[in-house]
Amino acid sequence: MAVERKFISEGVRKARVEKYLTKELKRAGFGGMDIARTPLGTQVTIFAEKPGIVIGKGGKLVHQLTQDLAQNYGVESPQIEVQQVQNPSFNAQIMAERLANALERGWYFRKAGSSIMRRVMDSGALGCEVVIAGKLTGARARTQKFTEGYIKHCGEPSNTIVEKGYAIAIKKLGVIGVQVKIVPADAKMPDHFAIIEQVKKHPAPKATVTAIGDIALDEPALPDANIDEEV
């Protein structure tokens, strides 16, 4: 059971670190993270829409994050690297945070969900799904789903291809949960196929065979028999 406990503890630590970074880097447009063990320590890669806010003035915020990860979350020798998100419309976590922010500012949930989904699809995504759950219009909780395009819900493609993001919106009636799923434009679906046109091969030209008898050969003339007798 030692191996199982190790995997579970690492998963719990990663979830706690991600929750902490989501809370601390909300203004920077936090778009997810990646943790990898290296010979020198633990490499923590942070994806953000605004890397300058993550770094802070003179690297102060990054230094504070490094200390917190080492002391409060048990990350061994953390080394933080910040990368900018090139296309925020394809990052599910950023879009979920924007949707939650729009709901907190008073947007109607149908308008906010449709706007986020339309922005993702206009960027060239293959599919998008937005799920809003909570007390949307009254005292009774409900779930509203917006779907467009192609989305995988099960199997390995749902874990490797579909980008997922989660966020919460705190309102007077209660907490509203937001989930965004995106299939990027460059995703390769396992059930996608293309028909390749067969190249027509032209037959090789036939070789022309000529009979030997039809060819006039320049043969040397035979000596005359009368000449030999005279000699």
Side-chain angles (χ1 to χ4, degrees):
M1 293 295 294
V3 178
E4 288 82 357
R5 290 179 179 176
K6 179 181 178 182
F7 287 134
I8 292 175
S9 63
E10 290 180 356
V12 171
R13 184 185 298 110
K14 183 177 180 181
R16 293 179 60 207
V17 170
E18 188 171 4
K19 182 178 180 180
Y20 165 73
L21 294 178
T22 303
K23 180 181 178 180
E24 293 294 328
L25 304 177
K26 190 173 183 179
R27 294 190 306 108
F30 178 72
M33 69 160 195
D34 187 18
I35 297 180
R37 292 295 301 272
T38 62
L40 300 178
T42 305
Q43 182 73 28
V44 181
T45 304
I46 298 176
F47 302 96
E49 188 178 3
K50 301 175 183 178
I53 299 179
V54 179
I55 297 174
K57 186 176 181 180
K60 183 178 180 180
L61 183 55
V62 170
H63 184 66
Q64 182 64 35
L65 293 175
T66 303
Q67 288 184 350
D68 292 343
L69 293 181
Q71 297 176 3
N72 301 334
Y73 297 94
V75 180
E76 182 181 356
S77 301
Q79 299 175 0
I80 297 179
E81 179 184 359
V82 184
Q83 294 186 7
Q84 184 177 7
V85 179
Q86 299 298 331
N87 193 349
S89 298
F90 286 163
N91 191 290
Q93 183 63 34
I94 294 178
M95 301 311 293
E97 291 290 346
R98 289 184 179 180
L99 177 56
N101 189 20
L103 294 175
E104 289 179 349
R105 288 187 284 115
W107 281 43
Y108 188 56
F109 72 95
R110 292 185 184 274
K111 181 181 179 181
S114 301
S115 176
I116 291 295
M117 185 180 63
R118 177 53 49 195
R119 179 170 183 176
V120 172
M121 296 303 297
D122 290 344
S123 299
L126 298 180
C128 178
E129 181 182 88
V130 178
V131 180
I132 305 175
K135 296 180 180 180
L136 303 178
T137 55
R140 185 183 294 269
R142 53 178 293 195
T143 301
Q144 184 68 37
K145 182 184 294 185
F146 306 88
T147 306
E148 186 174 350
Y150 191 78
I151 292 288
K152 280 287 188 179
H153 295 279
C154 61
E156 183 181 1
S158 65
N159 298 326
T160 58
I161 297 177
V162 180
E163 299 286 341
K164 302 176 183 179
Y166 305 92
I168 59 173
I170 302 176
K171 301 191 69 175
K172 292 182 179 180
L173 295 178
V175 177
I176 298 178
V178 172
Q179 180 182 8
V180 178
K181 296 182 179 180
I182 300 175
V183 178
D186 56 349
K188 295 182 180 179
M189 294 295 180
D191 55 352
H192 177 73
F193 65 92
I195 299 177
I196 301 176
E197 296 183 1
Q198 185 178 4
V199 180
K200 296 182 179 181
K201 297 182 179 180
H202 298 284
K206 296 182 179 180
T208 304
V209 180
T210 306
I212 298 177
D214 298 339
I215 301 176
L217 298 177
D218 297 334
E219 297 181 354
L222 296 177
D224 193 357
N226 297 330
I227 297 176
D228 294 341
E229 292 179 355
E230 294 177 358
V231 172

